[in-house]
Amino acid sequence: METCNSLDEVRGHIDRLDQQIIGLLSERSQYVKQAATFKQDTDAVKAPARVEAVITKVRELASANELNPLVAEQVYRAMIAAFIEDELQEHARLQQMPKPAADSDAQA
């Protein structure tokens, strides 16, 4: 991290970080959509135990990186809630798609 000499310089760095964060959120979103293809039902999408495991991990990472763990937790809880809603929509869309017909050779 650089030491800034003005508010404009601070804001420039924050803007740069925001651009990187959006790129990472977009990448995370694509993996969330892929995850929906592996989950059988909405309970698997919501996965409260997985959410809590992620929060525990994030709090530990925050502490190790000089970030207030509460800030990290609050950001991640909001982000995860939004991604769960997105994944639920993707899961519902996938459930409405027709299933591929069984291969007749496989039945022989």
Side-chain angles (χ1 to χ4, degrees):
M1 185 178 90
E2 294 180 33
T3 300
C4 300
N5 297 312
S6 70
L7 182 55
D8 284 343
E9 195 174 345
V10 169
R11 287 178 176 163
H13 287 289
I14 290 172
D15 290 346
R16 175 183 53 79
L17 291 169
D18 286 343
Q19 190 170 20
Q20 292 174 7
I21 290 167
I22 293 299
L24 292 170
L25 286 172
S26 175
E27 183 178 354
R28 192 180 200 283
S29 174
Q30 299 308 309
Y31 285 114
V32 166
K33 284 189 169 115
Q34 285 185 48
T37 66
F38 298 104
K39 296 181 181 177
Q40 298 299 315
D41 55 36
T42 58
D43 288 339
V45 172
K46 293 175 185 175
R50 169 71 177 148
V51 171
E52 293 311 312
V54 170
I55 295 302
T56 297
K57 176 189 68 171
V58 164
R59 287 183 64 89
E60 291 169 0
L61 287 169
S63 291
N65 285 279
E66 299 181 31
L67 174 63
N68 181 336
L70 182 58
V71 171
E73 179 177 347
Q74 290 175 338
V75 168
Y76 263 76
R77 285 196 186 279
M79 178 183 68
I80 289 169
F83 276 125
I84 287 172
E85 288 303 314
D86 199 35
E87 188 177 356
L88 285 168
Q89 290 177 13
E90 179 68 8
H91 187 266
R93 185 188 70 78
L94 292 169
Q95 294 302 308
Q96 293 174 353
M97 293 177 65
K99 304 288 184 224
D103 187 350
S104 59
D105 290 338
Q107 296 175 359

